[in-house]
Structure formats: structure tokens, C-alpha cells
């Protein structure tokens, strides 16, 4: 059973940092691309970043320069390092795998292109 578990969220002050983890259970992440998304109350799920097996990835413009996506295949985990956080970054953060047979590639960061969502981890940025 494919399962992803996000962790590392919490309450942080504006300007602070958090490092989120996405751990795989029941399968090896080695060959999978992984996407990170977030969803704020009342808003649609927003794609942030995606990374393929060899560590190449991309981030959307709104977080480029502040967020970094990385992975450690030996630990079966993908990370999202978030710096310079602002209240606008407050949301539940999710990781997921691409839908369909091209699971090793990063499709466009639209939520309907992904599946196997974790339960999410809450990030709250507030003073």
C-alpha cells in the first residue's frame, strides 16, 4: 500500500524557517517523482515544487528563492526546506506522487495530476 506521511510543520514566527519531511511507507520512493502542495483555508490546493529521482526538481515562482526541495532516497524521504516564511505561507502542506504510469516524471503542479496524498502537516506563521 502506497502511503506518504508528512511531518515537520508547526508554529513559526514571520521570517522563520521550517523543514518538512515526506516519508514513504510501503514502497520505495527511489523511482518516484514527488510533488509538494499546500492548501490554505478557503483556497484551492496549490502546487509548490516537484523533484525526480536524481534530485533535479523545480519550484514555482512564488516560493523560488525561499523554498528548496531535496530528497534522500536512502532514507526514503523528500524534504521541503522553507525559509523567510510569512503569514501568507500558513497552510496545510501535502506531498504526493504523480498519477498514471509516468510516476517518475514531474507533471504540471496541478493537484489533479497527482495522487497518494498524505494527511498533511500544518504550518502556521504568526507572531
Amino acid at each position: 500500500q502506497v502511503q506518504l506521511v508528512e511531518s515537520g510543520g508547526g508554529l513559526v514566527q514571520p521570517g522563520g524557517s521550517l523543514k518538512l519531511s515526506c516519508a514513504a511507507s510501503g514502497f520505495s520512493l527511489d523511482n518516484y517523482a514527488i510533488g509538494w502542495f499546500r492548501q490554505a483555508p478557503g483556497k484551492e490546493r496549490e502546487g509548490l515544487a516537484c523533484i525526480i529521482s536524481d534530485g533535479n526538481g523545480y519550484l514555482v515562482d512564488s516560493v523560488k528563492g525561499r523554498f528548496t526541495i531535496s530528497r534522500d532516497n536512502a532514507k526514503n524521504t523528500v524534504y521541503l526546506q522553507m525559509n523567510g516564511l510569512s503569514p501568507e505561507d500558513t497552510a496545510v502542506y501535502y506531498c504526493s506522487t504523480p498519477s498514471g504510469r509516468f510516476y517518475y516524471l514531474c507533471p504540471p503542479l496541478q493537484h489533479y495530476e497527482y495522487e497518494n496524498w498524505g494527511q498533511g502537516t500544518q504550518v502556521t506563521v504568526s507572531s
Side-chain angles (χ1 to χ4, degrees):
Q1 180 181 356
V2 174
Q3 188 174 8
L4 296 171
V5 179
E6 302 91 341
S7 62
L11 174 64
V12 63
Q13 292 188 341
S17 299
L18 282 175
K19 186 173 186 178
L20 306 184
S21 298
C22 171
S25 175
F27 75 107
S28 173
L29 273 181
D30 284 11
N31 296 318
Y32 280 80
I34 297 293
W36 276 102
F37 291 75
R38 67 184 177 189
Q39 188 165 19
K43 294 189 176 182
E44 289 193 358
R45 194 162 294 189
E46 173 191 12
L48 302 173
C50 186
I51 189 168
I52 60 175
S53 180
D54 67 359
N56 284 310
Y58 72 97
L59 299 100
V60 298
D61 288 345
S62 60
V63 301
K64 204 174 290 184
R66 297 191 300 127
F67 291 9
T68 303
I69 188 170
S70 63
R71 66 192 297 156
D72 187 337
N73 289 338
K75 294 184 178 179
N76 222 23
T77 301
V78 172
Y79 304 98
L80 186 69
Q81 175 69 47
M82 306 187 298
N83 301 325
L85 288 165
S86 71
E88 289 70 34
D89 296 312
T90 295
V92 179
Y93 284 69
Y94 301 90
C95 60
S96 59
T97 61
S99 302
R101 57 188 177 134
F102 298 110
Y103 56 86
Y104 50 92
L105 298 175
C106 284
L109 284 166
Q110 302 295 331
H111 63 86
Y112 49 79
E113 298 280 2
Y114 291 78
E115 62 185 10
N116 296 319
W117 299 92
Q119 84 291 346
T121 186
Q122 176 71 48
V123 171
T124 302
V125 185
S126 175
S127 55

